[in-house]
Amino acid sequence: MDEFGFDLTSGGSDFFSELDSIYNNVTEPEVGASDADELLEGLNPEQKEAVQHLGGPLLILAGAGSGKTRVITYRIAYMMKKHNVAPGSILAITFTNKAANEMKERITALVGDRSQYIWCGTFHSIFARILRRHADLIGYDRNFTILDSDDQLKMVKQVMQELDISEKMYKPRNFLYEITNSKNHMVSPEQYEQLAGADTARQQNAKVYKRYNMKLIENNAMDFDDILVNMVKLLKGNPDILEFYRNKFGYIMVDEYQDTNQPQYNAVMLLAKGHNNICVVGDDDQSIYAFRGADVRMILNFEKDFPGCQVIKLEQNYRSTKTILSAANEVIANNKSRKSKALRTEGNEGDKIIVMNADSQAVEAAWTADTIKHMVQKGKFAYSDVAILYRMNALSRSVESALRDKGIPFRIYGGMRFYDRKEIKDTLAYLRLINDSKDDLAFDRIINVPKRGIGDTTVDKIRAIAAAEHVSMMDVARRASQYEELMRSANKLYGFCKLIDEFTVHLEEDEMSFPDFVDYVENESGMIQEMIDQRESKGELTDRVENLKELLSEAAEFEKNHRTSEETDNSELQSEIEDDEFLEEETATADTLRGILALYLENAALYSQGDSDDDNEDYVKLMSIHSSKGLEFGAVFLIGVEDGIFPSYKSIASAADTEEERRLMYVAITRAKKNLFIVLTRQRMLFGQTQCLPPSRFLREINPEHLYRMGNMREVQKQPSEAVNSQARVIARRNIASALSSGVTTKKDTTGGMRSGVAKKPGALSPAEIKDGMKVRHDRFGSGIVIKVEPVAGDALITVDFDGMRKNMLAGTAGLKKGE
DNA sequence: AAAACTGTAGTTTTT
DNA sequence: CTACAGTTTT
Ligand SMILES: Nc1ncnc2c1ncn2[C@@H]1O[C@H](COP(=O)(O)OP(=O)(O)OP(=O)(O)O)[C@@H](O)[C@H]1O
């Protein structure tokens, strides 16, 4: 055991004893209804100056943890309290929904409920909202669909097929890359074509790009990039609209401005140029989104865009210990193309950064979990103070199983997003088709989900007819027997139409709650049944059913927030800001099931689960470094810090890319308030192979004085090549981590507990009541005997014998009643 | 015409 | 290791 008391087998000594001083719930000053000037008390002189700045352009360029975001929140509060600025005229743009929610919460703490009228969100969510409003002006319907990258790739493949481009010779991904990249730089298909000149490869790109865009419009769909591009189009093409929003958003604020790309920049310029009341905040050292078109020059040129703008520098870091901040500064100093910047702290020296070089992935994960548990048991931190960060989402796997193993509650952000999951997208496609029968993309997606014997050829025919007659695919399906070529599938198609019609009837009846309706669709469509039947062979039911249940609680939550209620009395506020004709947009509500559904669909695409946090729950947070930007944690575990992972092998060839990775390292280090743990391993399973990677080059850039090394630390100081050579090639063997993960039956994402929104049918048995051997009655199948009960995701998978016919079903949704 | 099976290629980061 | 494209089987 070492002086730090780390020992994987025993409890260890109390080595975190001095840690409590700095970190202990930094509470916001109480403001309440009192004087606006009280707001200024929690700020340093530079911050005060920024907060009091009301009109004209303002640039805050400052290092990590210097209170930039705090300036924005306080500035908004101050404007409202001191200058009576209407909240509806404030536009505050952040980078992620999570950051937006956090900012909203902080502002609410300062000014109260009026904060809900502030337009605070990501570029994408705010622009999408505006675009829906004026969709007709850019050739769209209000309920346009937003495609995720999966849908985009499918679309590209479809285009390639139509243009007779072989997937063997050309990779769809490359076309998509060209398209996204063009949009991120505001290059239209026409411009792309012009730029292509005589280059045949580029001419082909142009063709694909053009057709791809056309198809999107035909399908009333936008990809993420279109949201930005179309916003610029809307503002440029419609002077009256531009004028309207310039007047509406009298005060604009953009956080993380260094990550702005061309279309975002153009939109901001258009909106701000009238009054110049724009405040941007950022840090060029934290620019980590170049891969998606972000350009630091946007922030560096701000002074040129707005001559005479006020520039404020913040040089004091309030977040981290001296040790952590020094390490961050030492790393970032290695970037050549960089304006150097002062950043100091008056905080404690703090603990050394602990670097653990483990022998295997399993040890890396187990050590991380043990250390977290140790600290929490000692009362140094709560689980919710701890974050585990990584360069690649795939790295979360082994840590997940270690955490589960030790019974540590955790939650994963990002990665495979909730709304990206197949079963969720399928359910949403059903809902979209019910909401709008013209939604061909939705039709396409679920016409054969679950399998109902309608194959690709049939769907292709329907698509062709629909295109020729300019009607929706649903329309064609309804009249299937009118077409020779659809005769054979007509009955199956009618079955599908009948199903959708049935859903529509229930929707219009308006008698179910929203989650009940979703639940009903999930069941009646046969999706759940299919999962149950497939389980027999694969045994992978739990996750998917759990996801569908999670969707129900999201639906319940959504209805709670958006169902019009009589108690909501906004009259006072309304008179205060009555000239704000868009007020109702902010608190959009509906009082019919149909209305709720439409609202939900408008919002679902840009919202990912986990954007909103439950404050009451205590769990460790796992996320990529990218998604941790702007956040802070008492203790940070940075895992997978090996050359090839971090920096990524893709970036080591280029100096510019390596510098971006280094900025990412800077971001990662500066997330930590008190303790930083850097964890790496000598060998790990990666891309299906056991690989030996040397410690990250960035580690050698930190002054060793700040580090305390554990495990195989000799190698940290070696040159990468030397380290590689010194390590014998390891024969692949099943490591402990994967052995653990395969045998674990604990729940996956621990988001549960919010499942109350779903009402049970009267008289139906609850999952807990159903026992083996029980006699039950089912509405459709009649009487039967339960012959098997298996718990699944807070529900139970039961097997019932109905007169010799065995059926698998979920107890919670089957609506079984007590028999005989 | 659809489902089940088999082989191959590609693996960073996000809205 | 996984997702998906292309194959064979029913
Ligand atoms: N004047 C101040 N006095 C005390 N604490 C402060 C002050 N200003 C900011 N802080 C605290 O410092 C921490 C970092 O602030 P903030 O998140 O605003 O920094 P930031 O510059 O936005 O960081 P990043 O660049 O990493 O996003 C927060 O916990 C905040 O409460």
Side-chain angles (χ1 to χ4, degrees):
Chain A
M1 196 191 294
D2 57 79
E3 58 172 299
F4 283 86
F6 273 110
D7 188 321
L8 295 179
T9 50
S10 78
S13 66
D14 186 12
F15 86 108
F16 282 109
S17 51
E18 78 272 28
L19 292 189
D20 272 273
S21 49
I22 322 162
Y23 178 75
N24 240 345
N25 298 338
V26 186
T27 44
E28 304 285 345
E30 277 295 323
V31 175
S34 54
D35 194 16
D37 290 323
E38 271 183 33
L39 280 168
L40 300 174
E41 280 169 23
L43 302 168
N44 66 31
E46 292 78 27
Q47 289 177 315
K48 261 182 216 163
E49 198 183 344
V51 165
Q52 287 176 296
H53 176 108
L54 181 66
L58 173 64
L59 166 68
I60 300 170
L61 191 58
S66 56
K68 299 185 293 295
T69 307
R70 174 180 276 223
V71 166
I72 292 201
T73 50
Y74 276 61
R75 185 162 177 256
I76 291 173
Y78 190 79
M79 288 192 315
M80 286 171 62
K81 290 201 157 201
K82 180 88 175 181
H83 302 288
N84 263 327
V85 170
S89 68
I90 298 171
L91 175 63
I93 297 170
T94 62
F95 214 67
T96 60
N97 285 312
K98 210 160 140 58
N101 278 332
E102 222 169 273
M103 183 175 290
K104 251 188 207 159
E105 259 168 49
R106 287 205 221 167
I107 299 173
T108 306
L110 298 175
V111 303
D113 281 346
R114 290 206 311 151
S115 65
Q116 65 181 293
Y117 299 103
I118 299 167
W119 281 61
C120 174
T122 61
F123 276 109
H124 294 268
S125 67
I126 286 172
F127 288 180
R129 192 151 88 213
I130 294 176
L131 286 171
R132 287 195 194 282
R133 256 265 161 182
H134 311 285
D136 49 318
L137 294 175
I138 47 163
Y140 277 90
D141 255 15
R142 191 202 155 87
N143 62 350
F144 61 78
T145 319
I146 295 168
L147 300 189
D148 65 19
S149 14
D150 233 42
D151 303 326
Q152 283 181 278
L153 204 60
K154 276 190 190 135
M155 195 62 88
V156 170
K157 284 175 187 167
Q158 227 178 80
V159 169
M160 287 173 68
Q161 218 157 41
E162 288 169 13
L163 292 176
D164 260 328
I165 299 171
S166 146
E167 278 195 34
K168 289 234 172 71
M169 285 165 69
Y170 300 93
K171 287 178 218 135
R173 297 194 65 80
N174 290 139
F175 285 114
L176 186 55
Y177 172 82
E178 282 297 314
I179 293 171
T180 302
N181 209 243
S182 303
K183 289 183 180 179
N184 282 335
H185 292 93
M186 289 296 284
V187 177
S188 69
E190 292 73 26
Q191 286 167 318
Y192 192 101
E193 194 173 25
Q194 289 211 318
L195 290 168
D199 186 333
T200 48
R202 292 172 137 255
Q203 280 171 2
Q204 193 175 41
N205 291 346
K207 265 175 145 173
V208 174
Y209 181 14
K210 214 175 213 169
R211 191 169 184 103
Y212 167 90
N213 256 13
M214 226 177 62
K215 279 188 87 76
L216 255 55
I217 294 171
E218 275 170 15
N219 283 295
N220 194 31
M222 289 188 197
D223 60 30
F224 286 122
D225 311 309
D226 282 332
I227 295 174
L228 309 174
V229 172
N230 286 331
M231 180 70 187
V232 175
K233 228 184 247 174
L234 174 74
L235 294 178
K236 270 196 174 154
N238 301 277
D240 50 326
I241 301 280
L242 176 60
E243 193 55 30
F244 176 85
Y245 283 103
R246 275 187 177 171
N247 286 332
K248 165 152 183 59
F249 298 128
Y251 299 90
I252 299 173
M253 266 155 275
V254 188
D255 201 359
E256 312 282 10
Y257 190 66
Q258 75 279 355
D259 285 317
T260 309
N261 68 16
Q262 192 71 50
Q264 290 168 333
Y265 168 84
N266 288 354
V268 168
M269 284 303 132
L270 283 164
L271 288 171
K273 270 300 181 184
H275 47 61
N276 289 353
N277 289 331
I278 176 170
C279 164
V280 303
V281 156
D283 178 2
D284 47 335
D285 287 331
Q286 293 187 63
S287 158
I288 54 175
Y289 281 98
F291 69 90
R292 155 246 203 168
D295 191 340
V296 243
R297 282 176 303 181
M298 307 294 179
I299 195 164
L300 299 178
N301 287 341
F302 188 80
E303 289 178 73
K304 283 187 200 126
D305 291 326
F306 294 97
C309 86
Q310 188 172 1
V311 182
I312 293 179
K313 294 211 160 96
L314 306 174
E315 300 188 334
Q316 173 148 8
N317 173 297
Y318 291 96
R319 181 181 292 146
S320 313
T321 63
K322 277 204 171 71
T323 304
I324 290 169
L325 193 62
S326 310
N329 284 333
E330 284 155 19
V331 170
I332 199 67
N334 288 281
N335 270 3
K336 292 216 179 78
S337 56
R338 162 173 193 267
K339 277 196 200 171
S340 77
K341 212 181 298 132
L343 193 58
R344 52 175 203 287
T345 175
E346 277 162 21
N348 297 0
E349 206 63 46
D351 291 292
K352 289 197 177 194
I353 295 165
I354 292 171
V355 182
M356 169 65 179
N357 191 356
D359 280 327
S360 72
Q361 209 171 2
V363 174
E364 176 189 45
W367 183 86
T368 304
D370 278 331
T371 309
I372 292 170
K373 192 155 196 172
H374 170 90
M375 296 205 325
V376 171
Q377 275 170 355
K378 291 279 170 194
K380 303 309 174 201
F381 291 111
Y383 286 128
S384 54
D385 296 322
V386 180
I388 301 175
L389 306 182
Y390 33 79
R391 176 66 237 267
M392 263 189 312
N393 288 119
L395 291 181
S396 69
R397 289 265 155 244
S398 62
V399 183
E400 274 173 64
S401 54
L403 291 171
R404 256 196 294 270
D405 221 38
K406 314 271 189 234
I408 298 172
F410 66 94
R411 186 164 171 182
I412 302 171
Y413 298 84
M416 183 58 165
R417 276 180 172 56
F418 183 66
Y419 283 102
D420 292 344
R421 299 193 145 94
K422 183 188 180 298
E423 57 274 19
I424 301 300
K425 287 179 74 169
D426 289 342
T427 307
L428 287 178
Y430 268 103
L431 296 177
R432 271 162 49 199
L433 192 61
I434 295 164
N435 182 52
D436 175 12
S437 69
K438 295 193 300 302
D439 194 331
D440 285 352
L441 290 177
F443 179 95
D444 217 335
R445 183 171 183 100
I446 45 138
I447 178 70
N448 204 26
V449 176
K451 304 257 161 12
R452 34 172 88 81
I454 303 170
D456 292 344
T457 7
T458 310
V459 179
D460 285 345
K461 283 175 196 158
I462 298 175
R463 193 184 301 115
I465 297 171
E469 299 192 359
H470 297 289
V471 294
S472 69
M473 290 171 77
M474 195 70 197
D475 257 0
V476 177
R478 277 187 203 293
R479 300 178 283 111
S481 57
Q482 290 177 15
Y483 302 96
E484 191 79 40
E485 60 268 49
L486 294 178
M487 276 304 204
R488 285 174 60 189
S489 323
N491 277 333
K492 289 172 187 163
L493 290 171
Y494 288 151
F496 177 74
C497 295
K498 205 167 143 254
L499 183 70
I500 300 294
D501 287 342
E502 215 176 288
F503 292 151
T504 312
V505 168
H506 282 277
L507 181 74
E508 299 296 351
E509 269 177 12
D510 205 13
E511 274 163 7
M512 287 186 210
S513 74
F514 184 42
D516 280 346
F517 181 71
V518 178
D519 189 33
Y520 161 75
V521 171
E522 283 172 359
N523 279 293
E524 221 52 36
S525 64
M527 279 193 299
I528 298 231
Q529 190 60 48
E530 189 183 53
M531 284 183 198
I532 292 168
D533 294 342
Q534 280 176 359
R535 191 203 90 108
E536 233 76 274
S537 47
K538 284 186 183 151
E540 262 259 335
L541 181 67
T542 317
D543 279 358
R544 308 175 112 208
V545 174
E546 212 169 66
N547 288 332
L548 287 182
K549 299 221 156 193
E550 183 59 31
L551 187 67
L552 297 188
S553 54
E554 301 254 316
E557 181 72 17
F558 188 86
E559 180 162 45
K560 205 177 88 203
N561 294 332
H562 296 266
R563 175 70 79 166
T564 316
S565 69
E566 288 89 57
E567 301 137 51
T568 331
D569 181 14
N570 290 330
S571 51
E572 213 178 299
L573 285 165
Q574 236 129 37
S575 60
E576 200 175 321
I577 30 179
E578 60 195 358
D579 56 338
D580 187 350
E581 63 181 275
F582 273 54
L583 192 62
E584 83 282 2
E585 278 277 291
E586 191 53 34
T587 45
T589 56
D591 55 5
T592 61
L593 188 54
R594 161 142 244 145
I596 297 272
L597 174 64
L599 269 183
Y600 179 74
L601 291 174
E602 281 181 14
N603 287 286
L606 288 171
Y607 238 80
S608 47
Q609 182 208 36
D611 283 341
S612 54
D613 266 319
D614 321 291
D615 285 338
N616 330 335
E617 294 205 49
D618 189 31
Y619 45 75
V620 174
K621 301 175 181 75
L622 277 69
M623 67 186 88
S624 71
I625 301 169
H626 281 89
S627 25
S628 76
K629 197 173 60 157
L631 308 176
E632 58 186 17
F633 312 94
V636 167
F637 288 78
L638 195 56
I639 64 169
V641 189
E642 294 131 47
D643 240 62
I645 294 178
F646 194 13
S648 151
Y649 71 100
K650 288 240 183 194
S651 64
I652 17 196
S654 131
D657 288 352
T658 309
E659 294 214 336
E660 174 140 326
E661 296 282 307
R662 192 174 279 112
R663 290 193 291 271
L664 198 54
M665 185 67 173
Y666 176 74
V667 170
I669 295 173
T670 54
R671 294 312 95 195
K673 292 187 188 174
K674 284 174 65 183
N675 285 93
L676 176 63
F677 301 82
I678 294 175
V679 195
L680 56 145
T681 172
R682 290 200 303 167
Q683 61 182 79
R684 77 166 69 240
M685 266 298 249
L686 199 61
F687 307 144
Q689 279 177 327
T690 303
Q691 308 213 4
C692 294
L693 296 168
S696 171
R697 60 192 66 193
F698 300 145
L699 278 183
R700 276 177 285 120
E701 297 171 358
I702 301 175
N703 183 338
E705 270 176 30
H706 298 133
L707 305 178
Y708 181 85
R709 303 196 190 84
M710 301 178 67
N712 307 290
M713 268 302 116
R714 292 158 282 121
E715 281 148 19
V716 170
Q717 296 304 317
K718 284 184 190 167
Q719 292 305 307
S721 53
E722 203 185 324
V724 175
N725 295 336
S726 71
Q727 281 161 342
R729 197 121 198 102
V730 178
I731 297 123
R733 81 188 141 106
R734 200 176 153 77
N735 64 21
I736 306 166
S738 58
L740 283 176
S741 62
S742 58
V744 162
T745 50
T746 342
K747 278 210 296 177
K748 211 195 154 204
D749 202 343
T750 55
T751 42
M754 296 247 328
R755 282 171 189 150
S756 46
V758 189
K760 292 280 163 284
K761 287 147 202 148
L765 293 164
S766 78
E769 288 170 303
I770 296 177
K771 297 271 156 19
D772 212 353
M774 190 181 253
K775 281 187 178 149
V776 292
R777 199 159 44 76
H778 186 272
D779 283 349
R780 200 148 20 136
F781 302 123
S783 297
I785 296 170
V786 179
I787 55 174
K788 202 162 136 206
V789 183
E790 290 172 78
V792 154
D795 199 329
L797 174 68
I798 54 173
T799 309
V800 187
D801 186 279
F802 294 102
D803 259 352
M805 183 177 64
R806 288 188 176 184
K807 280 273 168 196
N808 291 317
M809 49 186 69
L810 278 176
T813 46
L816 289 174
K817 300 196 179 82
K818 206 155 181 124
E820 271 125 307

